[in-house]
Amino acid sequence: MAAPVAGLLRLGVTAGLAVSAVVHWQLAEPIGLAAPGGIGGETLFRLQALAAALVALAVLVTGRWWAHAAALLVAGASLVAVLASTWFEIPAMGPVPSMYDPMWYPAKTASAVAEGLTVLLAAAALVRAGRHQPRPRPYAAGPARTVTK
Amino acid sequence: MDRHRSTLAPASLLAALLLLLAACTSNGADEASTDPGAAPLTIVISDFTFHVPEEVPAGATVTVRNEDNVGHTVTADEAGGFDVAVGPGEEVTFTAPDEPGEYPFHCIPHPQMTATLVVG
């Protein structure tokens, strides 16, 4: 029972990151027009797409806890960024251009939903990994010892 | 007789000048009210909304002024139509189509921003 659940979580995290990677790569060029300042929105979106793709591969191939932790980090950061840039008009900060976009459209919504699910599934996988860690063996009890003076 | 002629000449000159002045003033007023070039041919973008003039002449130079803090585009829905990118706080121009008609357009990075350019 444990193996199928772990496998489903692993596949779910991989799929969520894959959706995020594809959407970010596809939107990179248009975002470059909307956020041309600093290092450019296009560069940021392509970096996010590459990070999501690499971590998705790591989760799929290894299934290790650190891969799921990276998935949680990458998807969580992307989710926070999309929500913040939708709800708040954050000005440019250093090389990061202002990327305010109050509108929702299908690709953006799909990416945000995928990232939210990835966060949940990766967190669940980490909790499971914590529970299934091999526990240290209890101290072997020997025969009762008496202290003699 | 000579005296009469000498007073008539300046009066005629003054009358001619007044007529010329009146004609110039009249022509200038007509031009200001009918010259389509005087109409503001500017698409203003603010708060993620296109504010488009009612109509622009065919082949006119249209200005796009972006008052938002992010970049936008004015891109004709029809392939091969007008397509300009305008950065935050910038102004650009493009040439309106030569054929009169209605030209729907959108913003590439913000697909929900749409409007129609009417070319007369």
Side-chain angles (χ1 to χ4, degrees):
Chain A
M1 182 66 187
V5 172
L8 286 175
L9 289 174
R10 191 167 159 183
L11 282 178
V13 170
T14 303
L17 286 172
V19 170
S20 177
V22 169
V23 170
H24 276 85
W25 193 265
Q26 287 179 340
L27 291 181
E29 195 173 343
I31 293 300
L33 296 169
I39 60 172
E42 181 173 356
T43 305
L44 287 173
F45 266 51
R46 293 209 189 282
L47 287 174
Q48 171 64 27
L50 287 174
L54 286 174
V55 173
L57 196 62
V59 170
L60 186 65
V61 171
T62 72
R64 301 289 297 274
W65 72 268
W66 55 264
H68 285 96
L72 183 65
L73 192 68
V74 168
S78 188
L79 182 62
V80 168
V82 71
L83 294 179
S85 65
T86 301
W87 293 335
F88 308 106
E89 191 166 358
I90 301 170
M93 290 183 293
V96 179
S98 173
M99 301 181 76
Y100 178 55
D101 178 4
M103 298 173 171
W104 287 100
Y105 39 91
K108 182 177 171 180
T109 306
S111 180
V113 168
E115 286 152 7
L117 288 174
T118 301
V119 166
L120 292 176
L121 296 177
L126 284 173
V127 169
R128 279 182 52 82
R131 283 183 184 162
H132 290 85
Q133 283 283 345
R135 294 183 178 177
R137 297 179 65 185
Y139 185 77
R145 297 170 65 185
T146 55
V147 178
T148 55
K149 291 184 180 177
Chain B
M1 182 68 182
D2 285 347
R3 188 181 169 193
H4 182 69
R5 190 181 295 168
S6 66
T7 53
L8 192 61
S12 302
L13 189 62
L14 183 63
L17 282 173
L18 285 173
L19 279 172
L20 185 65
L21 184 65
C24 287
T25 307
S26 173
N27 281 346
D30 284 345
E31 278 174 11
S33 61
T34 57
D35 181 10
L41 301 180
T42 303
I43 297 173
V44 178
I45 305 172
S46 63
D47 295 329
F48 289 76
T49 304
F50 291 116
H51 303 277
V52 186
E54 283 187 12
E55 187 177 299
V56 302
T61 299
V62 180
T63 301
V64 181
R65 186 168 73 240
N66 181 8
E67 297 180 350
D68 280 344
N69 291 325
V70 297
H72 294 288
T73 73
V74 173
T75 305
D77 291 357
E78 194 176 312
F82 51 86
D83 180 15
V84 290
V86 52
E90 292 180 354
E91 269 190 17
V92 297
T93 60
F94 71 92
T95 304
D98 291 329
E99 293 293 323
E102 295 190 353
Y103 294 84
F105 63 91
H106 62 279
C107 172
I108 291 175
H110 311 105
Q112 287 176 322
M113 286 176 63
T114 60
T116 300
L117 182 69
V118 178
V119 176

